[in-house]
Amino acid sequence: MSHSHSPIRRWRVVGVAIASGILALATVAAVPVSAASPAPAGGTARTLVAATGDPGTYLTGDGGMTLYYFAKDTSPGVSVCEGKCAEFWPPLLLKDGETATGGDGVTGVIGSFTRADGSTQVTYDGRPLYYFAKDTKAGDVTGQDVGEVWFVAAVDGSMPPAPVYPIAAATTSAGTVLTGEDGMTLYFFAKDTTPGVSACSGDCLTNWPPMLNGGRDVFVAGDGVTGVIALATQADGSEQVTYDGRPLYYFGGDKAAGDVSGQGVGGVWFAATADGSLPTP
């Protein structure tokens, strides 16, 4: 799946708390359950059913409600969606005596594992399954691509690849500078004196939106970009992209690719150079 983002969307992605919530890694063991397992005596079977819509063919649970995968669940049979996250994204749980089975067209391995709170969550090909609190009826898929980490549970067990964003070098009136989404100029802040730590907060961030990780973005270097690209967690919990340790920002006054109207503002803002340097005072 491809993503098209404007700089404004990147600036505002810090509000994605709904997607990640409060996460705590639960160490649990996966307990396989065969898709063909009969219900135990006196028990009932929960059936996963395939549905087809705009996102493709995906799994549904009770009442035909859409089921989802969480991209941050990277270990089979382990959920990192706890607390508030699990309120927005309720896990598909089994009660005592229940099993889970697959309906027609559901060919993956259905299993279960014990969550940190002792409840039993259903998995599909090892991926924990969830509902989305904002879906109100069968066929709703409003959780698709939330925060670039939530996706409808595809019947083939797959998930869209992580979005890739290049940091490129462009020639401007300020020289050769780094650019981000849509070719917009990136900037360094001279007051960022500790590697990976942003000194820009409050109104500063309104004028100088940080370049942020939208969830599981991958940032790569384009031609002529030789510095180290990394992510640094800031005080508000956001992950800001850094270049050779310097946090990267856009400028609200730039309107189009090639604009460098933030160059030299206040004597502390400068277009980000490929060699990672700041002008000598």
Coordinates of all heavy atoms in Angstrom, one line a residue, residues 225-280:
V225 N 23.3 12.1 0.1 CA 23.0 12.2 1.5 C 23.8 11.2 2.3 O 23.5 10.0 2.2 CB 21.5 12.1 1.8 CG1 21.2 12.1 3.3 CG2 20.7 13.1 1.0
T226 N 24.9 11.6 2.9 CA 25.8 10.6 3.5 C 25.8 10.5 5.0 O 26.5 9.7 5.6 CB 27.2 11.0 3.1 OG1 27.5 12.4 3.5 CG2 27.4 10.9 1.5
G227 N 25.0 11.4 5.7 CA 24.9 11.4 7.1 C 24.1 10.2 7.7 O 23.5 9.5 6.9
V228 N 24.1 10.1 9.0 CA 23.4 9.1 9.7 C 22.0 9.5 10.0 O 21.8 10.6 10.7 CB 24.1 8.7 11.0 CG1 23.2 7.6 11.8 CG2 25.5 8.1 10.7
I229 N 21.0 8.8 9.5 CA 19.6 9.1 9.7 C 19.1 8.2 10.8 O 19.2 7.0 10.8 CB 18.7 8.9 8.4 CG1 19.2 9.9 7.3 CG2 17.2 9.1 8.7 CD1 18.6 9.6 6.0
A230 N 18.4 8.8 11.8 CA 18.0 8.0 13.0 C 16.7 8.6 13.6 O 16.2 9.7 13.1 CB 19.1 7.9 14.0
L231 N 16.2 8.0 14.6 CA 15.0 8.5 15.3 C 15.4 8.8 16.7 O 16.1 8.0 17.3 CB 13.8 7.5 15.2 CG 13.2 7.2 13.9 CD1 12.2 6.1 14.0 CD2 12.6 8.5 13.3
A232 N 14.9 9.9 17.3 CA 15.1 10.2 18.7 C 13.8 10.5 19.4 O 13.0 11.3 18.9 CB 16.1 11.4 18.8
T233 N 13.6 9.9 20.5 CA 12.3 10.1 21.3 C 12.4 11.4 22.0 O 13.4 11.6 22.8 CB 12.1 8.9 22.2 OG1 12.0 7.7 21.5 CG2 10.8 9.1 23.0
Q234 N 11.4 12.3 21.9 CA 11.4 13.6 22.5 C 10.6 13.5 23.8 O 10.0 12.5 24.1 CB 10.9 14.6 21.6 CG 11.7 14.7 20.3 CD 13.2 15.0 20.5 OE1 13.5 15.7 21.4 NE2 14.0 14.4 19.6
A235 N 10.6 14.6 24.5 CA 9.9 14.7 25.8 C 8.4 14.4 25.8 O 7.9 13.8 26.7 CB 10.1 16.1 26.4
D236 N 7.8 14.7 24.6 CA 6.4 14.4 24.5 C 6.1 13.0 24.0 O 4.9 12.6 23.7 CB 5.7 15.4 23.6 CG 6.3 15.4 22.1 OD1 7.1 14.5 21.9 OD2 5.8 16.2 21.3
G237 N 7.1 12.2 23.8 CA 7.0 10.8 23.4 C 7.0 10.6 21.9 O 7.0 9.5 21.4
S238 N 7.1 11.7 21.1 CA 7.1 11.6 19.7 C 8.5 11.1 19.3 O 9.5 11.3 20.0 CB 6.8 12.9 19.0 OG 7.7 13.9 19.4
E239 N 8.6 10.5 18.1 CA 9.9 10.1 17.5 C 10.3 11.1 16.4 O 9.6 11.1 15.4 CB 9.9 8.7 17.0 CG 9.8 7.6 18.1 CD 9.9 6.2 17.5 OE1 9.3 5.9 16.5 OE2 10.7 5.4 18.1
Q240 N 11.3 11.9 16.6 CA 11.7 12.9 15.6 C 12.9 12.3 14.8 O 13.8 11.7 15.4 CB 12.1 14.2 16.3 CG 12.4 15.3 15.3 CD 12.5 16.7 16.0 OE1 12.3 16.7 17.2 NE2 12.8 17.7 15.3
V241 N 12.9 12.6 13.5 CA 14.0 12.2 12.7 C 15.2 13.1 12.9 O 15.1 14.3 13.1 CB 13.6 12.3 11.2 CG1 14.7 11.7 10.3 CG2 12.3 11.5 10.9
T242 N 16.4 12.5 13.0 CA 17.6 13.2 13.2 C 18.6 12.9 12.1 O 18.5 11.9 11.4 CB 18.3 12.9 14.5 OG1 18.7 11.5 14.5 CG2 17.4 13.1 15.7
Y243 N 19.5 13.9 11.9 CA 20.6 13.7 10.9 C 21.9 14.0 11.5 O 22.1 15.1 12.0 CB 20.3 14.6 9.7 CG 21.2 14.4 8.5 CD1 21.1 13.4 7.6 CD2 22.3 15.3 8.3 CE1 21.9 13.2 6.5 CE2 23.2 15.1 7.2 CZ 23.0 14.0 6.3 OH 23.8 13.9 5.3
D244 N 22.8 13.0 11.6 CA 24.0 13.2 12.3 C 23.8 13.7 13.7 O 24.5 14.5 14.3 CB 25.0 14.1 11.6 CG 25.7 13.3 10.4 OD1 25.5 12.1 10.3 OD2 26.3 14.0 9.6
G245 N 22.7 13.2 14.3 CA 22.3 13.6 15.7 C 21.5 14.9 15.8 O 21.0 15.2 16.9
R246 N 21.4 15.7 14.7 CA 20.6 16.9 14.8 C 19.1 16.7 14.4 O 18.8 16.2 13.3 CB 21.2 18.0 13.8 CG 22.6 18.4 14.1 CD 23.0 19.5 13.1 NE 24.4 19.9 13.2 CZ 25.0 20.6 14.2 NH1 24.2 21.1 15.1 NH2 26.3 20.9 14.2
P247 N 18.2 17.1 15.3 CA 16.8 17.0 15.0 C 16.4 17.8 13.7 O 17.0 18.9 13.5 CB 16.1 17.5 16.2 CG 17.1 17.3 17.3 CD 18.4 17.5 16.7
L248 N 15.5 17.3 12.9 CA 15.1 17.9 11.7 C 13.7 18.5 11.8 O 12.8 17.9 12.4 CB 15.1 16.9 10.5 CG 16.5 16.4 10.1 CD1 16.3 15.2 9.1 CD2 17.4 17.5 9.5
Y249 N 13.6 19.7 11.2 CA 12.3 20.4 11.2 C 12.0 20.9 9.8 O 12.8 21.1 8.9 CB 12.4 21.6 12.1 CG 12.9 21.4 13.5 CD1 14.3 21.2 13.7 CD2 12.1 21.3 14.6 CE1 14.8 21.0 15.0 CE2 12.5 21.0 15.9 CZ 13.9 20.9 16.1 OH 14.4 20.7 17.3
Y250 N 10.7 21.2 9.6 CA 10.2 22.0 8.5 C 10.0 23.4 9.0 O 10.1 23.7 10.2 CB 8.9 21.5 7.9 CG 9.0 20.1 7.3 CD1 8.5 18.9 8.0 CD2 9.5 19.9 6.0 CE1 8.6 17.7 7.5 CE2 9.6 18.6 5.5 CZ 9.1 17.5 6.2 OH 9.2 16.2 5.7
F251 N 9.7 24.3 8.0 CA 9.4 25.7 8.4 C 8.0 26.1 7.9 O 7.7 25.9 6.7 CB 10.4 26.7 7.9 CG 10.1 28.2 8.2 CD1 9.8 28.5 9.5 CD2 10.3 29.1 7.2 CE1 9.5 29.9 9.8 CE2 10.0 30.5 7.5 CZ 9.6 30.8 8.8
G252 N 7.2 26.6 8.8 CA 5.8 26.9 8.4 C 5.7 28.0 7.3 O 4.7 28.1 6.6
G253 N 6.7 28.8 7.2 CA 6.7 29.9 6.2 C 7.1 29.4 4.8 O 6.9 30.1 3.8
D254 N 7.6 28.2 4.6 CA 7.9 27.6 3.3 C 6.6 27.1 2.7 O 5.8 26.4 3.4 CB 8.9 26.5 3.4 CG 10.3 26.9 3.7 OD1 10.6 28.1 3.5 OD2 11.2 26.1 4.0
K255 N 6.3 27.4 1.4 CA 5.1 27.1 0.8 C 5.2 26.0 -0.3 O 4.3 25.4 -0.7 CB 4.4 28.3 0.2 CG 4.1 29.4 1.2 CD 3.3 28.9 2.4 CE 3.0 30.0 3.4 NZ 2.3 29.5 4.6
A256 N 6.4 25.9 -0.9 CA 6.7 25.0 -2.0 C 8.1 24.5 -1.9 O 8.9 25.0 -1.2 CB 6.5 25.8 -3.3
A257 N 8.2 23.3 -2.6 CA 9.6 22.7 -2.7 C 10.6 23.8 -3.2 O 10.3 24.5 -4.2 CB 9.5 21.5 -3.7
G258 N 11.7 23.8 -2.6 CA 12.7 24.8 -3.0 C 12.8 26.0 -2.2 O 13.7 26.8 -2.2
D259 N 11.7 26.3 -1.4 CA 11.6 27.5 -0.6 C 12.6 27.3 0.6 O 12.7 26.2 1.2 CB 10.2 27.7 0.0 CG 9.2 28.2 -1.0 OD1 9.7 28.5 -2.1 OD2 8.1 28.3 -0.6
V260 N 13.4 28.3 0.9 CA 14.3 28.3 2.1 C 14.1 29.6 2.9 O 15.1 30.1 3.4 CB 15.8 28.1 1.6 CG1 16.0 26.7 1.1 CG2 16.1 29.1 0.5
S261 N 12.9 30.0 3.1 CA 12.6 31.2 3.8 C 12.9 31.1 5.3 O 12.9 32.2 5.9 CB 11.1 31.6 3.6 OG 10.2 30.6 4.0
G262 N 13.2 30.0 5.8 CA 13.6 29.8 7.1 C 15.1 30.0 7.4 O 15.6 30.0 8.5
Q263 N 15.9 30.1 6.3 CA 17.3 30.2 6.4 C 17.7 31.5 7.2 O 17.4 32.6 6.9 CB 18.0 30.3 5.0 CG 19.4 30.5 5.0 CD 20.2 29.2 5.5 OE1 19.6 28.3 6.0 NE2 21.5 29.2 5.3
G264 N 18.5 31.2 8.3 CA 19.0 32.3 9.1 C 18.0 33.0 10.0 O 18.4 34.0 10.7
V265 N 16.8 32.5 10.1 CA 15.8 33.1 11.0 C 16.3 33.2 12.4 O 16.7 32.1 13.0 CB 14.5 32.4 10.9 CG1 13.5 32.9 12.0 CG2 13.8 32.6 9.6
G266 N 16.3 34.3 13.0 CA 16.7 34.5 14.4 C 18.2 34.2 14.7 O 18.6 34.1 15.8
G267 N 18.9 34.0 13.6 CA 20.3 33.6 13.7 C 20.5 32.2 14.3 O 21.7 31.8 14.7
V268 N 19.4 31.4 14.4 CA 19.5 30.1 15.0 C 18.9 29.0 14.1 O 19.1 27.8 14.4 CB 18.9 30.0 16.4 CG1 19.7 30.9 17.4 CG2 17.4 30.5 16.3
W269 N 18.2 29.3 13.0 CA 17.6 28.3 12.1 C 18.3 28.4 10.8 O 18.5 29.4 10.2 CB 16.1 28.6 11.9 CG 15.3 28.4 13.1 CD1 14.9 29.3 14.1 CD2 14.8 27.1 13.6 NE1 14.2 28.7 15.1 CE2 14.1 27.3 14.8 CE3 14.9 25.8 13.1 CZ2 13.5 26.3 15.5 CZ3 14.3 24.8 13.8 CH2 13.6 25.0 15.0
F270 N 18.7 27.1 10.3 CA 19.5 27.0 9.1 C 19.0 25.8 8.3 O 18.7 24.8 8.9 CB 21.0 26.9 9.4 CG 21.5 28.1 10.2 CD1 21.6 28.0 11.6 CD2 21.8 29.3 9.6 CE1 22.1 29.1 12.3 CE2 22.3 30.4 10.3 CZ 22.4 30.3 11.7
A271 N 19.0 26.0 7.0 CA 18.7 24.8 6.1 C 19.6 23.7 6.4 O 20.8 23.9 6.5 CB 18.7 25.2 4.7
A272 N 19.1 22.5 6.5 CA 19.9 21.4 6.9 C 20.9 21.0 5.8 O 20.5 20.7 4.7 CB 19.0 20.2 7.3
T273 N 22.2 20.9 6.1 CA 23.2 20.6 5.1 C 23.5 19.1 5.1 O 23.4 18.5 6.1 CB 24.5 21.4 5.3 OG1 24.9 21.1 6.7 CG2 24.2 22.9 5.2
A274 N 23.9 18.6 3.9 CA 24.2 17.2 3.8 C 25.4 16.8 4.6 O 25.5 15.6 5.0 CB 24.4 16.9 2.3
D275 N 26.3 17.7 4.9 CA 27.4 17.4 5.7 C 27.2 17.6 7.2 O 28.0 17.4 8.1 CB 28.7 18.2 5.3 CG 28.6 19.7 5.6 OD1 27.5 20.1 6.2 OD2 29.5 20.4 5.2
G276 N 25.9 18.0 7.6 CA 25.5 18.1 9.0 C 26.0 19.3 9.7 O 25.9 19.3 10.9
S277 N 26.6 20.2 9.0 CA 27.2 21.4 9.7 C 26.3 22.6 9.8 O 25.3 22.7 9.1 CB 28.5 21.8 8.9 OG 28.1 22.3 7.6
L278 N 26.6 23.5 10.7 CA 26.0 24.8 10.9 C 26.9 25.9 10.4 O 28.1 25.7 10.5 CB 25.5 25.0 12.3 CG 24.4 24.1 12.8 CD1 24.2 24.4 14.3 CD2 23.1 24.4 12.1
P279 N 26.4 27.0 10.0 CA 27.3 28.1 9.6 C 28.2 28.5 10.8 O 27.8 28.5 12.0 CB 26.3 29.2 9.3 CG 25.1 28.6 8.9 CD 25.0 27.3 9.8
T280 N 29.4 28.9 10.5 CA 30.3 29.4 11.6 C 30.0 30.8 11.9 O 29.9 31.6 11.1 CB 31.8 29.3 11.1 OG1 32.1 27.9 10.7 CG2 32.7 29.7 12.2

